[in-house]
Amino acid sequence: MENKKNISKRKLFTKEWKYKEGFIISLALFIIGLSISVITGGEKAIMPSYPINVILIVVYTILLVVLYLFEKKNKVIAWLSSIPAAISSVVFLTIMSTLLGIIPQVPSKNELINNMGFTDLTSSWMFAFSVVFILTTLGLVTAKRVFPFKKKNIGFLLNHMGLYIVLISGLAGSGDIQRLYFKLNDNAKAPIDIGVDINNSAYSVPFKLKLKKFIMKEYVPKLVIVESKNSKIFDQRDKVPYHVDTNQTAKLMHWEVKVEKYIENALYDSINGVYSTEKKGAFPAAYVKVFNTQTSDTLEAWITSGNYLTYRKSLKLNDKYFLAMLTPEAKKYKSDIFVYNSNGEMEERSVEVNKPIKVEGWNLYQTGYNDKMGKWSDYSLVEAIHDPWLPVVYIGIFMLIAGSLYIFWIGKDLESSSNKKK
Amino acid sequence: MNWDSFIIYALSAIVFWSLSLILHMIPSKNKILPLIANIMIIVGLAILAIYISLLWIDLDRPPLRTLGETRLWYSFFLPFIGLITYSRWKYKWFLGYSIGLSILFLVINFMHPENFSKTLMPALQSPWFVPHVIVYIFSYALLAASSIVAIKGLYETYFREFKPETLDLADNLVYVGYAFLTLGLAFGALWAKEAWGHYWTWDPKETWALLTFLCYLVYMHFRYLHKSKVKTQLWILGLAFIVLLIAWFGINYLPSAQNSVHTYGQS
Ligand code: HEM
């Protein structure tokens, strides 16, 4: 297509722009972004909130369309809506994302690195500029295929306009999104309508919440062999964990372990020994029989996982190893809560992981609990999120999904075009 | 379901697939031999499918959590893709490659068995889990295949004669793989909203999936404009493979990934 000699001899920024210009523009954007961060002492590039973000994105989108319609012959605009610009901007974003994918995004001890923005890349100016570059190209190339509109461009538009919508509304949305945490205490007297954000600033919401009950289901705990000297779980070759509810005998190293009795909620004391109970603070317990295949010795005892109140009870197998029950892992947890809406009406609802509920335009999520206390947690952490841009982002995502089906078709077209060649 | 039975299933699949490759290598005029060979691949696939189903039932959760479990799915999908590609475009070497890679995964799984733990953290207990992960696995398998094609193409350009059809195959794989990658990202975003409250959190696995997306995006656009610059296209695809491999396996070792929800835990 192009003549190699022409490209290398071509003067920069004259004639038709290609990849070199793209590289220089990316580099310039990177340096400018970095300079802003350093000069301002780590000022972040943060999207303003409503209504300024709406004005920004509407004005920017209109600007791109107008620029395309009236200046499409201009070589800069022509270049910005071409593949070399697209590839340059994508490569720029790729490099920024690679940094993001490698550098841990936690504040560093080195103040300069923090100020440069490398430890909080997504809100750095360099990153913002790379996104603006992509958006510009994407916007212009979309305009190119919208005016004039042709039916055969539908697939193209689904992908490019879809991505434009996702990017720009996600960006705008970051200025308006509100995330608040509500610590709902077990014994709270009154419902609360005040949550805190990640910086611990308090905000009020138009509804009130009160915890009725926090409920957790746990997995049946596992039995493992632990090395005494370093408390490490012994790595068995086949590493098949032994869940205590099975009736089968398990072979752990050279011990055959059998659970004779399993109690999900147990407590023990010197008078009653181990007993089943529904009391708070109970933990799983198992009566195990262990047969040593090398020495033919048999051991038996109660072992427990223990918890925040009681020590774990393990079984010493020999000088090197003991048999232990691991703390059970959470299977499901949810909060039954009372929700009072702005009219003062009360409703009983349930929030569970992966099953958020909607209240007055906010989504409520089950996020956490008191880890130390596990299923006996004395509070439930519920997160409330208000994200007015979500429907717009979803429109973009569904356009991309439709667009990916189009890409599927293209694959077929390519096949037929190469068949024609044969 | 333990590893004793894994080896039985894995070995039978490997035997069927190896026999099938041998049959494919025998030059024959009639169509019976290739037909038998293809049926053998299907039998191997069925055996692996049965093992995965039994494992699923036994674990009482989808076996998609650990690296070992995902390798199992790759072992299943690779010969599947190989077979489809072969029946449509007749690339024998590609069939051999996909089956070879699949066998490699099975062997790795036998050498490094993973924790077949029954537990699945609550955030992963979602109807999105299975489509999200399977779409990704399928897409990564296809994209990896396309990059292997590119590496073969590079070898041909430098040491032999390059055949343009090679890149046609790569294109088909890229386009289908890319469609699935987009679906994977989209499903992931929709699910993340349900589970964590936000559709995109720049989690390292997300970031690297996006990087993969961007690299193949560069390839598609470059190829669209510069049809004739074959060498550069091949290099872009080869490079994309490195990013893909990091997204696929490397994540667990990156310093940025210590808190990722996507790293495959051992606990
Ligand atoms: C979901 C992601 C994307 C997909 C699937 C995609 C796909 C495509 C395809 C298949 C074409 C060929 C044109 C045609 O089919 O008629 C194309 C062209 C193009 N794409 Fe993309 N693309 C994506 C993202 C982007 C991005 C992020 C940019 C810019 C930053 C971009 C800029 C362009 C440009 C400039 C063209 C040339 C169009 C023309 O000259 O008329 N694309 N894209």
Side-chain angles (χ1 to χ4, degrees):
Chain A
M1 226 182 248
E2 297 101 303
N3 184 326
K4 264 211 172 124
K5 264 192 187 153
N6 270 343
I7 293 180
S8 51
K9 285 207 177 140
R10 180 172 65 85
K11 285 212 188 81
L12 283 173
F13 296 104
T14 58
K15 285 202 185 141
E16 203 191 346
W17 287 20
K18 278 276 159 58
Y19 291 96
K20 267 187 201 156
E21 287 81 358
F23 173 74
I24 290 170
I25 288 172
S26 302
L27 191 67
L29 288 174
F30 181 86
I31 292 171
I32 296 171
L34 192 61
S35 313
I36 296 179
S37 297
V38 173
I39 292 167
T40 57
E43 193 65 45
K44 304 227 148 90
I46 289 170
M47 194 68 183
S49 53
Y50 180 85
I52 299 176
N53 52 359
V54 178
I55 298 172
L56 270 181
I57 71 166
V58 170
V59 168
Y60 198 70
T61 307
I62 293 176
L63 182 75
L64 291 179
V65 173
V66 168
L67 275 178
Y68 176 73
L69 287 180
F70 298 103
E71 285 294 330
K72 57 172 156 295
K73 295 264 159 58
N74 177 310
K75 76 175 179 229
V76 179
I77 300 301
W79 178 78
L80 276 171
S81 56
S82 75
I83 282 194
I87 290 182
S88 306
S89 64
V90 171
V91 168
F92 186 18
L93 182 71
T94 305
I95 292 170
M96 295 310 300
S97 308
T98 310
L99 292 177
L100 180 63
I102 294 172
I103 304 172
Q105 298 294 299
V106 284
S108 150
K109 288 196 194 86
N110 184 331
E111 204 46 40
L112 183 63
I113 290 183
N114 289 337
N115 284 350
M116 285 160 100
F118 288 114
T119 50
D120 187 10
L121 271 165
T122 50
S123 44
S124 73
W125 290 94
M126 311 169 265
F127 204 87
F129 286 156
S130 76
V131 175
V132 171
F133 188 7
I134 277 217
L135 273 175
T136 308
T137 303
L138 209 44
L140 285 172
V141 77
T142 306
K144 190 167 159 185
R145 298 278 180 116
V146 173
F147 308 103
F149 181 79
K150 285 195 199 109
K151 228 179 169 176
K152 71 170 198 287
N153 282 340
I154 285 181
F156 179 92
L157 288 177
L158 284 173
N159 277 315
H160 293 82
M161 201 190 271
L163 193 58
Y164 183 81
I165 292 175
V166 168
L167 283 178
I168 207 157
S169 57
L171 207 62
S174 67
D176 283 337
I177 193 166
Q178 282 175 283
R179 309 182 70 143
L180 298 176
Y181 295 92
F182 291 83
K183 190 175 163 189
L184 303 178
N185 285 316
D186 208 11
N187 49 10
K189 301 253 154 42
I192 53 170
D193 59 356
I194 293 188
V196 294
D197 67 5
I198 32 169
N199 303 319
N200 245 334
S201 318
Y203 296 89
S204 69
V205 290
F207 53 85
K208 291 184 178 179
L209 304 174
K210 185 170 168 336
L211 184 65
K212 183 183 177 208
K213 195 169 169 39
F214 173 74
I215 302 158
M216 177 188 286
K217 281 207 190 102
E218 290 173 328
Y219 281 105
V220 175
K222 297 170 199 163
L223 294 187
V224 289
I225 288 186
V226 181
E227 283 183 71
S228 317
K229 64 168 191 279
N230 51 14
S231 301
K232 260 202 185 143
I233 295 176
F234 181 75
D235 244 334
Q236 276 205 291
R237 206 199 94 78
D238 60 356
K239 279 201 258 173
V240 181
Y242 180 42
H243 291 265
V244 298
D245 62 337
T246 29
N247 290 318
Q248 295 144 10
T249 309
K251 195 148 174 4
L252 302 173
M253 291 175 75
H254 54 273
W255 286 281
E256 282 174 9
V257 182
K258 184 152 200 284
V259 175
E260 301 269 296
K261 216 188 215 174
Y262 168 60
I263 306 176
E264 196 182 331
N265 288 302
L267 283 173
Y268 64 80
D269 57 45
S270 49
I271 304 163
N272 299 311
V274 176
Y275 59 95
S276 173
T277 173
E278 286 307 311
K279 263 193 232 150
K280 198 174 165 163
F283 42 79
Y287 191 74
V288 290
K289 232 183 199 158
V290 181
F291 177 69
N292 187 333
T293 53
Q294 285 178 351
T295 62
S296 296
D297 288 341
T298 304
L299 293 168
E300 48 191 290
W302 278 103
I303 62 174
T304 73
S305 73
N307 62 13
Y308 67 105
L309 286 177
T310 318
Y311 284 119
R312 164 180 285 121
K313 240 179 140 136
S314 303
L315 174 62
K316 188 175 166 186
L317 296 171
N318 60 19
D319 289 341
K320 269 195 178 150
Y321 299 105
F322 58 88
L323 182 72
M325 183 189 285
L326 295 181
T327 307
E329 289 164 67
K331 184 175 192 178
K332 277 197 159 100
Y333 51 95
K334 65 171 187 176
S335 301
D336 290 344
I337 53 175
F338 299 113
V339 180
Y340 302 80
N341 68 15
S342 46
N343 302 328
E345 291 155 20
M346 192 269 278
E347 232 189 328
E348 243 188 271
R349 305 285 294 270
S350 210
V351 206
E352 190 174 337
V353 182
N354 265 316
K355 287 174 195 147
I357 59 170
K358 241 197 160 74
V359 178
E360 312 242 331
W362 290 68
N363 281 334
L364 302 191
Y365 298 84
Q366 171 73 59
T367 5
Y369 53 89
N370 186 338
D371 294 332
K372 284 202 193 91
M373 299 174 79
K375 72 172 170 188
W376 303 112
S377 172
D378 53 354
Y379 65 82
S380 169
L381 208 58
V382 170
E383 188 179 6
I385 300 183
H386 184 62
D387 185 0
W389 291 83
L390 195 64
V392 191
V393 175
Y394 276 10
I395 290 175
I397 290 181
F398 284 113
M399 286 173 77
L400 280 176
I401 289 178
S404 72
L405 299 178
Y406 160 78
I407 289 292
F408 216 86
W409 281 120
I410 290 253
K412 274 198 178 150
D413 288 351
L414 287 175
E415 178 216 349
S416 50
S417 75
S418 68
N419 279 349
K420 264 179 240 149
K421 265 182 262 155
K422 273 177 202 165
Chain B
M1 182 69 39
N2 54 35
W3 285 101
D4 294 343
S5 53
F6 172 72
I7 192 168
I8 297 169
Y9 286 88
L11 262 183
S12 350
I14 290 175
V15 167
F16 274 106
W17 290 340
S18 312
L19 282 178
S20 144
L21 283 186
I22 294 171
L23 282 188
H24 269 304
M25 243 121 64
I26 300 173
S28 85
K29 286 209 188 68
N30 61 24
K31 288 199 174 132
I32 305 281
L33 233 46
L35 183 70
I36 295 175
N38 285 347
I39 289 175
M40 289 181 126
I41 295 179
I42 295 173
V43 173
L45 284 173
I47 291 171
L48 219 53
I50 291 173
Y51 179 74
I52 293 176
S53 320
L54 290 177
L55 188 66
W56 192 322
I57 294 167
D58 187 69
L59 288 173
D60 209 14
R61 63 167 176 80
L64 293 164
R65 176 75 188 116
T66 65
L67 264 183
E69 286 162 12
T70 48
R71 271 199 295 264
L72 210 53
W73 288 87
Y74 284 114
S75 311
F76 176 77
F77 277 123
L78 279 166
F80 181 70
I81 294 168
L83 186 62
I84 289 180
T85 323
Y86 175 70
S87 20
R88 267 177 85 171
W89 298 292
K90 304 282 172 248
Y91 296 100
K92 262 191 198 168
W93 68 271
F94 184 73
L95 186 65
Y97 150 74
S98 53
I99 287 182
L101 201 59
S102 162
I103 292 178
L104 180 71
F105 280 141
L106 288 177
V107 173
I108 294 177
N109 255 11
F110 181 68
M111 313 275 282
H112 297 277
E114 292 261 344
N115 188 342
F116 272 14
S117 166
K118 286 195 177 188
T119 57
L120 190 61
M121 61 194 266
L124 292 184
Q125 295 167 20
S126 156
W128 285 111
F129 185 37
V130 176
H132 170 72
V133 183
I134 289 190
V135 161
Y136 261 115
I137 287 177
F138 195 62
S139 141
Y140 280 8
L142 282 163
L143 292 176
S146 79
S147 289
I148 299 278
V149 173
I151 290 167
K152 179 176 179 275
L154 277 174
Y155 171 77
E156 284 175 353
T157 2
Y158 286 100
F159 301 105
R160 279 160 189 226
E161 198 194 350
F162 174 77
K163 291 194 240 44
E165 297 94 78
T166 309
L167 261 180
D168 287 343
L169 170 63
D171 270 349
N172 285 311
L173 295 169
V174 168
Y175 274 74
V176 180
Y178 197 79
F180 275 89
L181 185 61
T182 310
L183 286 181
L185 285 166
F187 289 177
L190 297 174
W191 177 17
K193 180 70 202 168
E194 292 281 289
W196 287 280
H198 203 43
Y199 44 84
W200 191 263
T201 50
W202 292 104
D203 174 280
K205 192 90 182 179
E206 284 170 5
T207 305
W208 281 94
L210 177 72
L211 280 169
T212 314
F213 180 85
L214 294 175
C215 287
Y216 288 93
L217 194 66
V218 169
Y219 167 78
M220 283 168 30
H221 287 87
F222 189 87
R223 180 143 165 87
Y224 175 74
L225 183 64
H226 312 282
K227 263 274 175 214
S228 57
K229 291 191 175 172
V230 171
K231 228 193 236 175
T232 320
Q233 291 164 20
L234 290 171
W235 275 110
I236 296 175
L237 263 192
L239 213 66
F241 193 38
I242 297 173
V243 175
L244 178 74
L245 285 178
I246 298 177
W248 192 348
F249 302 111
I251 289 295
N252 296 9
Y253 308 103
L254 288 172
S256 56
Q258 297 319 322
N259 303 315
S260 169
V261 291
H262 285 96
T263 44
Y264 301 96
Q266 292 279 322
S267 62

